[in-house]
């Protein structure tokens, strides 16, 4: 088993009804790598940062088993910066700033040691970069999953459609599914999107859970009702990291196992939102994760014997 993650490693500034942060560590690649590290011992990242990115964070990722040979550090350049503000119910957010900086001309390097990778997680990045990584792997991985966002749909729809043809699993949220398909019904949207390429589609609905579509099958996982939600940033990436980390560790990409992966992704995302940035997911224990997964089992357990 080997997992390669591609995604931004960045700085974020976030505003929610509960507070505001200055520049903190963020980036889709960061969240994915931290989340999947609880399932895979070793993984590989492809990304780029400027020399303003703290070495301490790079060391932390290395401690979590992340091979950083594919992380480029650009001298004299600035890391990607994103800033967002959440609505009062935290179900929607506005992007206030996207400074691509080092991402503007990012040319992903796929080190030789990554070439035999079997699982590829393409985190939110320009679809042209995502496609380059697929093309630079000499052997196609067993499973390619991908995330994207409205930003790329607005400015790079043609490239996005090309990349979608090459992947197996697309993981996006409900707004993105509607924008990509032009359909309001998520069932209709799922059909349209799967015709664009991915055989599997996960649609995340924030506090309303996540749907997994494949062929004629649909699976639904609720989100855990939480007492405290501070910052939803990175929840989608944390979901993707848990999902793909679990698939890679079990080496099983059947629909049945993907259902388990959706629950694991949902459990990991539920931690992420409890604090700002990566604070809550940085140092989880295996016990905490197991207990959280059990909460999902209890939440969805019911006995219908003799009900009708
Ligand atoms: P999520 O809340 O799961 O959608 O992910 C938020 C993370 O995505 C933040 O940490 C940002 O740094 C990162 N991000 C936001 N916009 C972009 C973008 N256009 N390209 C790459 N990463 C992004």
């Amino acid at each position: 088993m080997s997992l390669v993650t591609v995604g931004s490693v960045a700085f974020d500034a976030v505003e929610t009804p509960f507070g505001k942060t200055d520049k903190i560590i963020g980036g889709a690649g960061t969240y994915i790598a931290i989340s999947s590290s609880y399932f895979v011992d070793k993984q590989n990242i492809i990304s780029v940062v400027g020399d303003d990115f703290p070495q301490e964070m790079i060391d932390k990722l290395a401690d979590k088993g992340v091979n950083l040979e594919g992380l480029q550090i650009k001298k004299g350049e600035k890391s990607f910066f994103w800033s967002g503000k959440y609505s009062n119910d935290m179900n929607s957010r506005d992007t206030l700033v996207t400074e691509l900086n080092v991402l503007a001309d990012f040319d992903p390097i796929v080190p030789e040691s990554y070439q035999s990778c079997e699982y590829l997680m393409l985190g939110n990045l320009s679809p042209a970069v995502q496609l380059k990584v697929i093309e630079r792997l000499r052997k196609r991985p067993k499973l390619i999953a991908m995330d994207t966002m409205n930003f790329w749909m607005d400015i790079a729809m043609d490239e996005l459609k090309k990349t979608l043809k090459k992947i197996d699993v697309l993981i996006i949220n409900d707004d993105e599914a509607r924008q990509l398909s032009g359909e309001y019904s998520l069932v209709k949207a799922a059909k349209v999107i799967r015709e664009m390429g991915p055989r599997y589609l996960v649609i995340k609905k924030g506090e309303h859970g996540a749907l997994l579509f494949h062929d004629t099958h649909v699976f639904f996982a609720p989100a855990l009702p939480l007492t405290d939600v501070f910052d939803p940033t990175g929840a989608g990436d944390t979901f993707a990291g848990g999902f793909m980390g679990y698939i890679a560790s079990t080496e099983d990409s059947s629909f049945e196992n993907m259902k388990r992966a959706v629950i694991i992704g949902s459990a990991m995302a539920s931690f992420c939102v409890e604090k700002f940035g990566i604070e809550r997911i940085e140092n989880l224990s295996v016990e905490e994760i197991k207990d959280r997964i059990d909460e999902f089992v209890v939440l969805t357990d019911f006995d219908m014997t003799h009900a009708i």
Side-chain angles (χ1 to χ4, degrees):
M1 172 282 303
S2 61
L3 172 65
V4 169
T5 292
V6 187
S8 49
V9 173
F11 290 119
D12 290 346
V14 183
E15 192 174 336
T16 82
F18 298 102
K20 204 173 161 179
T21 69
D22 287 330
K23 271 193 179 180
I24 54 171
I25 301 291
T30 313
Y31 282 102
I32 295 169
I34 294 176
S35 180
S36 58
S37 72
Y38 293 99
F39 304 93
V40 290
D41 295 335
K42 289 204 174 108
Q43 57 172 311
N44 313 283
I45 199 163
I46 296 176
S47 191
V48 62
V49 290
D51 59 8
D52 55 351
F53 198 76
Q55 182 63 38
E56 189 197 337
M57 187 60 217
I58 297 177
D59 295 343
K60 236 184 232 176
L61 289 173
D63 286 347
K64 291 196 168 288
V66 183
N67 180 359
L68 296 147
E69 236 181 293
L71 176 73
Q72 301 172 44
I73 302 173
K74 297 276 181 189
K75 281 226 169 76
E77 291 188 44
K78 282 165 79 180
S79 302
F80 175 75
F81 173 67
W82 174 84
S83 164
K85 184 177 175 179
Y86 288 84
S87 61
N88 278 343
D89 65 4
M90 287 204 280
N91 279 328
S92 61
R93 76 175 174 211
D94 290 323
T95 290
L96 303 177
V97 183
T98 299
E99 283 175 15
L100 289 175
N101 299 329
V102 283
L103 279 189
D105 55 1
F106 177 38
D107 189 24
I109 292 173
V110 180
E112 197 52 40
S113 63
Y114 292 18
Q115 280 296 344
S116 56
C117 107
E118 291 175 311
Y119 297 90
L120 175 62
M121 178 66 227
L122 297 168
N124 180 20
L125 264 186
S126 121
V129 169
Q130 292 173 318
L131 186 60
K132 262 188 200 162
V133 174
I134 298 174
E135 286 169 348
R136 289 177 182 178
L137 283 165
R138 289 193 291 275
K139 193 168 140 265
R140 189 191 191 277
K142 279 189 194 157
L143 196 80
I144 305 178
M146 169 180 155
D147 181 14
T148 188
M149 74 186 295
N150 46 5
F151 180 80
W152 304 113
M153 291 174 202
D154 293 339
I155 67 166
M157 191 58 129
D158 289 346
E159 278 155 337
L160 179 59
K161 285 190 174 163
K162 264 192 232 158
T163 311
L164 285 173
K165 287 204 178 89
K166 306 271 181 189
I167 64 151
D168 303 298
V169 189
L170 180 67
I171 305 174
I172 49 178
N173 70 30
D174 43 359
D175 282 346
E176 292 156 355
R178 290 186 171 117
Q179 182 170 348
L180 183 58
S181 63
E183 293 286 353
Y184 184 79
S185 148
L186 292 180
V187 175
K188 284 185 187 161
K191 187 166 180 291
V192 172
I193 294 170
R194 286 194 301 109
E195 281 164 4
M196 294 176 173
R199 290 176 293 131
Y200 298 88
L201 172 67
V202 177
I203 301 182
K204 299 163 291 173
K205 287 153 56 71
E207 65 169 334
H208 304 298
L211 292 158
L212 168 67
F213 293 89
H214 173 59
D215 277 341
T216 54
H217 310 291
V218 190
F219 172 69
F220 173 69
L224 208 60
L226 295 167
T227 315
D228 294 313
V229 176
F230 277 103
D231 172 19
T233 309
D237 310 310
T238 305
F239 175 101
F243 178 94
M244 210 45 179
Y246 177 74
I247 296 281
S249 69
T250 51
E251 300 193 51
D252 175 357
S253 37
S254 65
F255 183 68
E256 280 310 306
N257 203 43
M258 275 201 197
K259 289 196 226 172
R260 284 187 279 271
V262 168
I263 297 291
I264 296 210
S266 305
M268 296 307 291
S270 76
F271 286 118
C272 178
V273 302
E274 287 180 329
K275 289 203 173 152
F276 277 100
I278 58 170
E279 204 183 329
R280 182 70 176 108
I281 61 164
E282 245 182 319
N283 296 306
L284 289 169
S285 70
V286 175
E287 276 315 306
E288 273 179 297
I289 297 174
K290 278 189 183 155
D291 288 350
R292 209 27 90 90
I293 292 166
D294 285 345
E295 286 187 59
F296 274 84
V297 175
V298 172
L299 184 68
T300 53
D301 179 49
F302 48 83
D303 181 1
M304 292 295 285
T305 326
H306 312 306
I308 40 170

